[in-house]
Each structure stands twice: as structure tokens, then as C-alpha cells.
Amino acid sequence: MSEMKNFAVTYTIDYQHRVVVGVSALNTESAIEIATKAFDDGVIWDYTPEMPLLFDAYEEVEGETLQFSAEAIQAFPEPDSSVTQIKANQFAFYCAQALLAGETPTALEFANKALPQVVPSQPEESTWQVKSENGCEPFDVTAVNQEEALRDALFAIGWSVSPKT
């Protein structure tokens, strides 16, 4: 029996990126000049009242040739940024759906998956031992820093701190 091998299989199809924008101009030539300048300036996709984006899609070329190729590889690599962006967009969409459904915890989970680079890193909690010279038995609190440990310790023994009015 043969051992299974890993392959990266690629397929290609001919596509054409077609974009249509609305342009007000005196004639065909000036309309093309306006759109060409907007393209060169990188603003053709800005969707403004003066130049609304009317169509933006990739369309298969008539009579395209579907071609497959395969390359043997040792292991599957991490997905390309094109794939991670698709997944991030899907998670963002799921987040919006969950928010609209009032499911905030689920929305937060999807938001964290959509934008992991934005999620603030949570400081690690530590266990702090609280000792008192006033006869209180030692006890432990869990907090991320000494200031929070002191606050939690005061709360645990029934003390509270509030602004003086």
C-alpha cells in the first residue's frame, strides 16, 4: 500500500475585473479622462455622489480554460492572507448578525476572531497572600497587580473605599 503525500493543487480560470462608475461629462472622451484620473489617483472606488460606484465584480471570461496543476509538498503551509481576509470578513459578518440578534457574548467572540490584532492582551492574574497585623487569618486573592490585590483584600474583609463628598 502506498503512503499518502501532500499536494498543493491549484486551479486557474480566466477572469475579468469589471468596474462601472457614474461620471457626468460633456462627452465620451472627457468621461473616460475623468474616470482614468480617478483610477490613477486611487479614488475611483470611493463611491461619491459625483462618481458613484455602480458595479464592481470579477466575471469569468467567455470560453475560459480551466486548468489544474499539483505540486508535491512536505506539509501544508499557513493560509495566505487572501484566505485569512475572507475568514475575517465572515467572522465580522457573523458578529454583526449576533449583535442584531442581541447576542452580545457571541458577537464578541466573532469580533475577536475577525480582528485578533485589536483584542487587548489580558494581563495574567497572580495569587497574592493577604496578611494582617490585626488578628485576621491570612488568605489569598487573585488579581493582575498589587493595587487590585489590595482593593480585593479590603473588600474581602468588609472594607470599602468611596470618594469623600
Side-chain angles (χ1 to χ4, degrees):
M1 178 180 234
S2 302
E3 187 177 318
M4 299 290 277
K5 298 177 182 173
N6 294 326
F7 292 89
V9 178
T10 302
Y11 78 85
T12 59
I13 296 178
D14 297 329
Y15 280 94
Q16 176 178 326
H17 184 195
R18 186 165 71 99
V19 176
V20 179
V21 293
V23 175
S24 297
L26 295 174
N27 54 44
T28 304
E29 292 79 20
S30 63
I32 291 171
E33 285 177 20
I34 292 168
T36 300
K37 180 166 178 8
F39 179 87
D40 291 344
D41 293 345
V43 297
I44 198 163
W45 298 275
D46 286 358
Y47 195 93
T48 63
E50 298 78 29
M51 188 177 295
L53 184 62
L54 305 174
F55 183 88
D56 186 354
Y58 291 89
E59 304 170 315
E60 289 185 31
V61 173
E62 187 94 18
E64 89 287 333
T65 305
L66 176 62
Q67 295 180 340
F68 282 87
S69 63
E71 174 186 348
I73 56 176
Q74 290 295 320
F76 296 122
E78 288 296 315
D80 178 73
S81 62
S82 61
V83 174
T84 54
Q85 187 61 54
I86 289 169
K87 294 187 86 48
N89 291 347
Q90 288 173 334
F91 286 133
F93 180 77
Y94 298 152
C95 172
Q97 283 182 316
L99 282 173
L100 292 172
E103 299 169 1
T104 306
T106 302
L108 184 57
E109 286 178 35
F110 285 129
N112 288 339
K113 289 179 180 180
L115 301 167
Q117 69 279 11
V118 176
V119 178
S121 61
Q122 298 296 322
E124 285 196 35
E125 291 184 327
S126 301
T127 302
W128 300 77
Q129 187 175 47
V130 179
K131 296 178 185 174
S132 169
E133 295 177 7
N134 297 337
C136 182
E137 289 293 319
F139 61 95
D140 294 342
V141 295
T142 303
V144 296
N145 58 42
Q146 188 175 17
E147 183 178 316
E148 287 190 18
L150 287 168
R151 183 201 64 213
D152 293 350
L154 287 171
F155 182 76
I157 61 174
W159 288 32
S160 64
V161 178
S162 57
K164 184 177 179 180
T165 56

